[in-house]
Amino acid sequence: MSLLWPVLSALTVAVVLGVAVGRWIPERAREGLAWATKRFLRVGVVLLGLQLGLGEVLELGPGVVAAVVVTVLVAFFGTLGMGRLIGVSPGLRLLVATGFSICGASAIAAMDSVTDSDKEDVATGVTLVTLYGSGAIAVVPLLGQWLGMVPEQLGAWAGVSIHEVAQVVAAASPAGAAAVAVAVVVKLTRVVLLAPMVAGVSMANRRGNGPAGAATTGKRPPLIPLFVVAFLVMMLVRSTGAVPSVLLSVSDVVGTLLFAAALFGLGTGVNLGSLLRTGRRGLALGALSTLLVAVVGYTALAAAGAV
């Protein structure tokens, strides 16, 4: 399905399939499914670290890197604040803030692994990423043309403001290969911030004052989750230049499969009726967060002289 409609990522298809078949999963299989889901999520995050080296980040220049950091932080905390104002549940606003500010469904899955989010919140967050990221594929190139952006500028704005990697590529593609190259590096620089974001939330939860009141499973979370450390190690390994390109391609595919399997598992626990009842406020938060990240991203890049 995702091959026929590239906007619909494999991760979105996986969670939809999980929701569709969840009612037929035998109860005796659910404990094993939950165990596998958690492990797949964490290994997938570790493999994400191989997708970008420090050298590629530094080539963007300090201004663009600073713009990415500012955009992620403002989008994350701004979305949390807006979600609180419009009455979105703490778990959902944390997941939307993470997914919209960093890297979509994979970020939502990673944050879910260190909090005790409802399965409905995970499914809603992934749905919102797909909905608003798909809209951005059409809107960002049109606005970029109207604003007179050259391909590299459009790529930078797409990379800093659109949610999923596949959506970023789709939005930058009409402007050519130069736009896509910049867009992907800027986007993956946002992905790098997933590790400190998840670690920060884990440490806040450890102290009992997690963002948006995010609940934990009752056990005291680790100071820095081991899979976050492994993510950073994999990024350093990629930076050495010693990893063969074939291995990088394989790790990308395996990581996507792991995330898809994990989100399928999460989807099997979703109560569709509850999801539909809580959708309207989530839709409003998704729209506000998308607007926030686009405006802040453009402003930060303009301040850095990149647009």
mmCIF file of all heavy atoms in Angstrom, residues 231-269:
data_model
loop_
_atom_site.group_PDB
_atom_site.id
_atom_site.type_symbol
_atom_site.label_atom_id
_atom_site.label_comp_id
_atom_site.label_asym_id
_atom_site.label_seq_id
_atom_site.Cartn_x
_atom_site.Cartn_y
_atom_site.Cartn_z
ATOM 1 N N PHE A 231 22.127 4.565 20.283
ATOM 2 C CA PHE A 231 21.852 5.443 19.144
ATOM 3 C C PHE A 231 23.031 6.387 18.907
ATOM 4 O O PHE A 231 23.502 6.556 17.777
ATOM 5 C CB PHE A 231 20.573 6.242 19.423
ATOM 6 C CG PHE A 231 20.289 7.355 18.436
ATOM 7 C CD1 PHE A 231 19.454 7.136 17.352
ATOM 8 C CD2 PHE A 231 20.831 8.626 18.610
ATOM 9 C CE1 PHE A 231 19.178 8.159 16.445
ATOM 10 C CE2 PHE A 231 20.568 9.649 17.716
ATOM 11 C CZ PHE A 231 19.734 9.413 16.631
ATOM 12 N N LEU A 232 23.525 7.005 19.972
ATOM 13 C CA LEU A 232 24.641 7.946 19.854
ATOM 14 C C LEU A 232 25.926 7.232 19.424
ATOM 15 O O LEU A 232 26.705 7.759 18.636
ATOM 16 C CB LEU A 232 24.845 8.667 21.187
ATOM 17 C CG LEU A 232 23.680 9.563 21.630
ATOM 18 C CD1 LEU A 232 23.916 10.087 23.044
ATOM 19 C CD2 LEU A 232 23.486 10.717 20.663
ATOM 20 N N VAL A 233 26.130 6.013 19.928
ATOM 21 C CA VAL A 233 27.302 5.231 19.524
ATOM 22 C C VAL A 233 27.245 4.927 18.032
ATOM 23 O O VAL A 233 28.247 5.041 17.309
ATOM 24 C CB VAL A 233 27.386 3.927 20.344
ATOM 25 C CG1 VAL A 233 28.453 2.998 19.761
ATOM 26 C CG2 VAL A 233 27.703 4.230 21.803
ATOM 27 N N MET A 234 26.061 4.527 17.540
ATOM 28 C CA MET A 234 25.915 4.231 16.117
ATOM 29 C C MET A 234 26.173 5.474 15.259
ATOM 30 O O MET A 234 26.749 5.383 14.174
ATOM 31 C CB MET A 234 24.511 3.697 15.827
ATOM 32 C CG MET A 234 24.232 2.299 16.344
ATOM 33 S SD MET A 234 25.309 1.032 15.586
ATOM 34 C CE MET A 234 26.532 0.813 16.887
ATOM 35 N N MET A 235 25.785 6.624 15.756
ATOM 36 C CA MET A 235 26.041 7.860 15.024
ATOM 37 C C MET A 235 27.545 8.133 14.943
ATOM 38 O O MET A 235 28.068 8.550 13.887
ATOM 39 C CB MET A 235 25.324 9.024 15.707
ATOM 40 C CG MET A 235 25.409 10.319 14.931
ATOM 41 S SD MET A 235 24.495 11.643 15.751
ATOM 42 C CE MET A 235 25.128 13.040 14.809
ATOM 43 N N LEU A 236 28.249 7.878 16.031
ATOM 44 C CA LEU A 236 29.702 8.056 16.030
ATOM 45 C C LEU A 236 30.365 7.051 15.099
ATOM 46 O O LEU A 236 31.337 7.376 14.402
ATOM 47 C CB LEU A 236 30.242 7.908 17.455
ATOM 48 C CG LEU A 236 29.842 9.015 18.438
ATOM 49 C CD1 LEU A 236 30.338 8.677 19.847
ATOM 50 C CD2 LEU A 236 30.392 10.366 17.989
ATOM 51 N N VAL A 237 29.867 5.829 15.075
ATOM 52 C CA VAL A 237 30.400 4.813 14.158
ATOM 53 C C VAL A 237 30.226 5.261 12.713
ATOM 54 O O VAL A 237 31.141 5.159 11.892
ATOM 55 C CB VAL A 237 29.706 3.455 14.399
ATOM 56 C CG1 VAL A 237 30.060 2.462 13.288
ATOM 57 C CG2 VAL A 237 30.101 2.883 15.754
ATOM 58 N N ARG A 238 29.040 5.797 12.385
ATOM 59 C CA ARG A 238 28.799 6.301 11.032
ATOM 60 C C ARG A 238 29.777 7.433 10.698
ATOM 61 O O ARG A 238 30.247 7.570 9.561
ATOM 62 C CB ARG A 238 27.355 6.782 10.923
ATOM 63 C CG ARG A 238 27.024 7.607 9.675
ATOM 64 C CD ARG A 238 27.131 6.781 8.385
ATOM 65 N NE ARG A 238 26.975 7.618 7.204
ATOM 66 C CZ ARG A 238 25.812 7.855 6.606
ATOM 67 N NH1 ARG A 238 24.689 7.327 7.088
ATOM 68 N NH2 ARG A 238 25.763 8.612 5.539
ATOM 69 N N SER A 239 30.095 8.254 11.685
ATOM 70 C CA SER A 239 30.970 9.409 11.464
ATOM 71 C C SER A 239 32.392 9.009 11.108
ATOM 72 O O SER A 239 33.139 9.814 10.540
ATOM 73 C CB SER A 239 30.985 10.298 12.718
ATOM 74 O OG SER A 239 29.686 10.762 13.031
ATOM 75 N N THR A 240 32.802 7.772 11.439
ATOM 76 C CA THR A 240 34.161 7.342 11.115
ATOM 77 C C THR A 240 34.339 7.111 9.616
ATOM 78 O O THR A 240 35.465 7.073 9.129
ATOM 79 C CB THR A 240 34.500 6.031 11.850
ATOM 80 O OG1 THR A 240 33.649 4.971 11.364
ATOM 81 C CG2 THR A 240 34.319 6.191 13.355
ATOM 82 N N GLY A 241 33.229 6.921 8.901
ATOM 83 C CA GLY A 241 33.309 6.649 7.470
ATOM 84 C C GLY A 241 33.682 5.216 7.146
ATOM 85 O O GLY A 241 33.908 4.868 5.981
ATOM 86 N N ALA A 242 33.753 4.372 8.177
ATOM 87 C CA ALA A 242 34.192 2.990 7.976
ATOM 88 C C ALA A 242 33.036 2.039 7.675
ATOM 89 O O ALA A 242 33.270 0.863 7.396
ATOM 90 C CB ALA A 242 34.932 2.506 9.220
ATOM 91 N N VAL A 243 31.799 2.531 7.741
ATOM 92 C CA VAL A 243 30.650 1.655 7.529
ATOM 93 C C VAL A 243 30.364 1.560 6.033
ATOM 94 O O VAL A 243 30.130 2.586 5.379
ATOM 95 C CB VAL A 243 29.401 2.187 8.272
ATOM 96 C CG1 VAL A 243 28.243 1.206 8.110
ATOM 97 C CG2 VAL A 243 29.710 2.416 9.740
ATOM 98 N N PRO A 244 30.368 0.368 5.451
ATOM 99 C CA PRO A 244 30.102 0.226 4.004
ATOM 100 C C PRO A 244 28.707 0.723 3.638
ATOM 101 O O PRO A 244 27.768 0.598 4.429
ATOM 102 C CB PRO A 244 30.220 -1.287 3.766
ATOM 103 C CG PRO A 244 30.955 -1.816 4.944
ATOM 104 C CD PRO A 244 30.637 -0.923 6.088
ATOM 105 N N SER A 245 28.577 1.276 2.440
ATOM 106 C CA SER A 245 27.291 1.818 2.002
ATOM 107 C C SER A 245 26.216 0.735 1.945
ATOM 108 O O SER A 245 25.039 0.999 2.217
ATOM 109 C CB SER A 245 27.434 2.492 0.637
ATOM 110 O OG SER A 245 27.919 1.573 -0.332
ATOM 111 N N VAL A 246 26.621 -0.483 1.603
ATOM 112 C CA VAL A 246 25.654 -1.585 1.553
ATOM 113 C C VAL A 246 25.070 -1.830 2.943
ATOM 114 O O VAL A 246 23.857 -2.037 3.096
ATOM 115 C CB VAL A 246 26.323 -2.881 1.031
ATOM 116 C CG1 VAL A 246 25.365 -4.063 1.160
ATOM 117 C CG2 VAL A 246 26.751 -2.706 -0.410
ATOM 118 N N LEU A 247 25.926 -1.786 3.956
ATOM 119 C CA LEU A 247 25.460 -1.995 5.334
ATOM 120 C C LEU A 247 24.521 -0.871 5.763
ATOM 121 O O LEU A 247 23.527 -1.113 6.462
ATOM 122 C CB LEU A 247 26.657 -2.087 6.282
ATOM 123 C CG LEU A 247 26.332 -2.359 7.754
ATOM 124 C CD1 LEU A 247 25.542 -3.656 7.904
ATOM 125 C CD2 LEU A 247 27.610 -2.419 8.576
ATOM 126 N N LEU A 248 24.821 0.353 5.337
ATOM 127 C CA LEU A 248 23.941 1.475 5.667
ATOM 128 C C LEU A 248 22.565 1.290 5.044
ATOM 129 O O LEU A 248 21.540 1.550 5.680
ATOM 130 C CB LEU A 248 24.563 2.787 5.187
ATOM 131 C CG LEU A 248 25.867 3.209 5.865
ATOM 132 C CD1 LEU A 248 26.394 4.496 5.233
ATOM 133 C CD2 LEU A 248 25.658 3.401 7.365
ATOM 134 N N SER A 249 22.533 0.833 3.794
ATOM 135 C CA SER A 249 21.255 0.599 3.116
ATOM 136 C C SER A 249 20.471 -0.506 3.801
ATOM 137 O O SER A 249 19.252 -0.389 4.009
ATOM 138 C CB SER A 249 21.489 0.234 1.647
ATOM 139 O OG SER A 249 22.126 1.289 0.960
ATOM 140 N N VAL A 250 21.161 -1.566 4.172
ATOM 141 C CA VAL A 250 20.497 -2.679 4.848
ATOM 142 C C VAL A 250 19.944 -2.241 6.200
ATOM 143 O O VAL A 250 18.817 -2.582 6.576
ATOM 144 C CB VAL A 250 21.467 -3.868 5.020
ATOM 145 C CG1 VAL A 250 20.864 -4.938 5.936
ATOM 146 C CG2 VAL A 250 21.816 -4.472 3.666
ATOM 147 N N SER A 251 20.741 -1.461 6.954
ATOM 148 C CA SER A 251 20.290 -1.008 8.275
ATOM 149 C C SER A 251 19.071 -0.105 8.160
ATOM 150 O O SER A 251 18.177 -0.132 9.019
ATOM 151 C CB SER A 251 21.419 -0.282 9.007
ATOM 152 O OG SER A 251 21.697 0.978 8.417
ATOM 153 N N ASP A 252 19.014 0.686 7.090
ATOM 154 C CA ASP A 252 17.854 1.554 6.870
ATOM 155 C C ASP A 252 16.597 0.714 6.671
ATOM 156 O O ASP A 252 15.546 0.975 7.262
ATOM 157 C CB ASP A 252 18.111 2.443 5.658
ATOM 158 C CG ASP A 252 17.032 3.502 5.481
ATOM 159 O OD1 ASP A 252 16.335 3.832 6.461
ATOM 160 O OD2 ASP A 252 16.880 4.000 4.349
ATOM 161 N N VAL A 253 16.693 -0.308 5.829
ATOM 162 C CA VAL A 253 15.540 -1.181 5.560
ATOM 163 C C VAL A 253 15.140 -1.951 6.814
ATOM 164 O O VAL A 253 13.955 -2.037 7.165
ATOM 165 C CB VAL A 253 15.867 -2.162 4.411
ATOM 166 C CG1 VAL A 253 14.746 -3.184 4.251
ATOM 167 C CG2 VAL A 253 16.085 -1.402 3.111
ATOM 168 N N VAL A 254 16.139 -2.509 7.520
ATOM 169 C CA VAL A 254 15.850 -3.278 8.731
ATOM 170 C C VAL A 254 15.210 -2.387 9.791
ATOM 171 O O VAL A 254 14.249 -2.790 10.470
ATOM 172 C CB VAL A 254 17.136 -3.937 9.274
ATOM 173 C CG1 VAL A 254 16.887 -4.572 10.644
ATOM 174 C CG2 VAL A 254 17.642 -4.993 8.307
ATOM 175 N N GLY A 255 15.721 -1.169 9.935
ATOM 176 C CA GLY A 255 15.138 -0.244 10.901
ATOM 177 C C GLY A 255 13.684 0.062 10.601
ATOM 178 O O GLY A 255 12.835 0.086 11.498
ATOM 179 N N THR A 256 13.387 0.293 9.322
ATOM 180 C CA THR A 256 12.002 0.556 8.929
ATOM 181 C C THR A 256 11.110 -0.642 9.234
ATOM 182 O O THR A 256 9.983 -0.493 9.735
ATOM 183 C CB THR A 256 11.922 0.887 7.426
ATOM 184 O OG1 THR A 256 12.688 2.065 7.165
ATOM 185 C CG2 THR A 256 10.476 1.131 6.994
ATOM 186 N N LEU A 257 11.607 -1.855 8.952
ATOM 187 C CA LEU A 257 10.835 -3.063 9.241
ATOM 188 C C LEU A 257 10.590 -3.230 10.740
ATOM 189 O O LEU A 257 9.494 -3.623 11.163
ATOM 190 C CB LEU A 257 11.565 -4.293 8.690
ATOM 191 C CG LEU A 257 11.623 -4.416 7.165
ATOM 192 C CD1 LEU A 257 12.508 -5.590 6.763
ATOM 193 C CD2 LEU A 257 10.219 -4.587 6.587
ATOM 194 N N LEU A 258 11.606 -2.923 11.544
ATOM 195 C CA LEU A 258 11.446 -3.030 12.998
ATOM 196 C C LEU A 258 10.405 -2.036 13.515
ATOM 197 O O LEU A 258 9.550 -2.382 14.345
ATOM 198 C CB LEU A 258 12.790 -2.800 13.688
ATOM 199 C CG LEU A 258 13.814 -3.931 13.547
ATOM 200 C CD1 LEU A 258 15.175 -3.460 14.040
ATOM 201 C CD2 LEU A 258 13.363 -5.160 14.316
ATOM 202 N N PHE A 259 10.477 -0.793 13.037
ATOM 203 C CA PHE A 259 9.482 0.198 13.441
ATOM 204 C C PHE A 259 8.085 -0.218 12.988
ATOM 205 O O PHE A 259 7.106 -0.054 13.717
ATOM 206 C CB PHE A 259 9.825 1.576 12.871
ATOM 207 C CG PHE A 259 10.816 2.350 13.697
ATOM 208 C CD1 PHE A 259 11.975 2.844 13.119
ATOM 209 C CD2 PHE A 259 10.599 2.586 15.037
ATOM 210 C CE1 PHE A 259 12.897 3.563 13.869
ATOM 211 C CE2 PHE A 259 11.511 3.299 15.805
ATOM 212 C CZ PHE A 259 12.661 3.787 15.219
ATOM 213 N N ALA A 260 7.985 -0.754 11.771
ATOM 214 C CA ALA A 260 6.688 -1.175 11.260
ATOM 215 C C ALA A 260 6.115 -2.314 12.104
ATOM 216 O O ALA A 260 4.929 -2.308 12.460
ATOM 217 C CB ALA A 260 6.816 -1.606 9.800
ATOM 218 N N ALA A 261 6.961 -3.279 12.458
ATOM 219 C CA ALA A 261 6.508 -4.390 13.293
ATOM 220 C C ALA A 261 6.068 -3.892 14.665
ATOM 221 O O ALA A 261 5.047 -4.334 15.217
ATOM 222 C CB ALA A 261 7.621 -5.426 13.428
ATOM 223 N N ALA A 262 6.844 -2.959 15.223
ATOM 224 C CA ALA A 262 6.500 -2.429 16.542
ATOM 225 C C ALA A 262 5.194 -1.650 16.513
ATOM 226 O O ALA A 262 4.343 -1.785 17.406
ATOM 227 C CB ALA A 262 7.642 -1.542 17.041
ATOM 228 N N LEU A 263 4.997 -0.833 15.485
ATOM 229 C CA LEU A 263 3.765 -0.054 15.404
ATOM 230 C C LEU A 263 2.562 -0.941 15.101
ATOM 231 O O LEU A 263 1.443 -0.637 15.520
ATOM 232 C CB LEU A 263 3.915 1.048 14.361
ATOM 233 C CG LEU A 263 4.783 2.215 14.837
ATOM 234 C CD1 LEU A 263 5.126 3.142 13.684
ATOM 235 C CD2 LEU A 263 4.098 3.003 15.947
ATOM 236 N N PHE A 264 2.772 -2.038 14.404
ATOM 237 C CA PHE A 264 1.697 -3.014 14.243
ATOM 238 C C PHE A 264 1.290 -3.540 15.615
ATOM 239 O O PHE A 264 0.095 -3.628 15.937
ATOM 240 C CB PHE A 264 2.155 -4.163 13.346
ATOM 241 C CG PHE A 264 1.164 -5.300 13.271
ATOM 242 C CD1 PHE A 264 0.107 -5.253 12.373
ATOM 243 C CD2 PHE A 264 1.289 -6.398 14.115
ATOM 244 C CE1 PHE A 264 -0.817 -6.289 12.320
ATOM 245 C CE2 PHE A 264 0.374 -7.441 14.061
ATOM 246 C CZ PHE A 264 -0.685 -7.385 13.164
ATOM 247 N N GLY A 265 2.299 -3.887 16.429
ATOM 248 C CA GLY A 265 1.999 -4.371 17.775
ATOM 249 C C GLY A 265 1.259 -3.346 18.608
ATOM 250 O O GLY A 265 0.295 -3.671 19.318
ATOM 251 N N LEU A 266 1.675 -2.084 18.533
ATOM 252 C CA LEU A 266 0.976 -1.031 19.260
ATOM 253 C C LEU A 266 -0.460 -0.878 18.756
ATOM 254 O O LEU A 266 -1.390 -0.672 19.533
ATOM 255 C CB LEU A 266 1.724 0.298 19.113
ATOM 256 C CG LEU A 266 3.076 0.393 19.829
ATOM 257 C CD1 LEU A 266 3.795 1.670 19.414
ATOM 258 C CD2 LEU A 266 2.895 0.357 21.334
ATOM 259 N N GLY A 267 -0.638 -0.984 17.447
ATOM 260 C CA GLY A 267 -1.962 -0.826 16.865
ATOM 261 C C GLY A 267 -2.946 -1.885 17.314
ATOM 262 O O GLY A 267 -4.150 -1.623 17.417
ATOM 263 N N THR A 268 -2.456 -3.095 17.624
ATOM 264 C CA THR A 268 -3.365 -4.163 18.036
ATOM 265 C C THR A 268 -4.045 -3.870 19.370
ATOM 266 O O THR A 268 -5.066 -4.475 19.686
ATOM 267 C CB THR A 268 -2.627 -5.515 18.143
ATOM 268 O OG1 THR A 268 -1.594 -5.412 19.134
ATOM 269 C CG2 THR A 268 -2.028 -5.917 16.814
ATOM 270 N N GLY A 269 -3.480 -2.958 20.147
ATOM 271 C CA GLY A 269 -4.087 -2.622 21.438
ATOM 272 C C GLY A 269 -5.010 -1.428 21.407
ATOM 273 O O GLY A 269 -5.499 -0.984 22.446
#
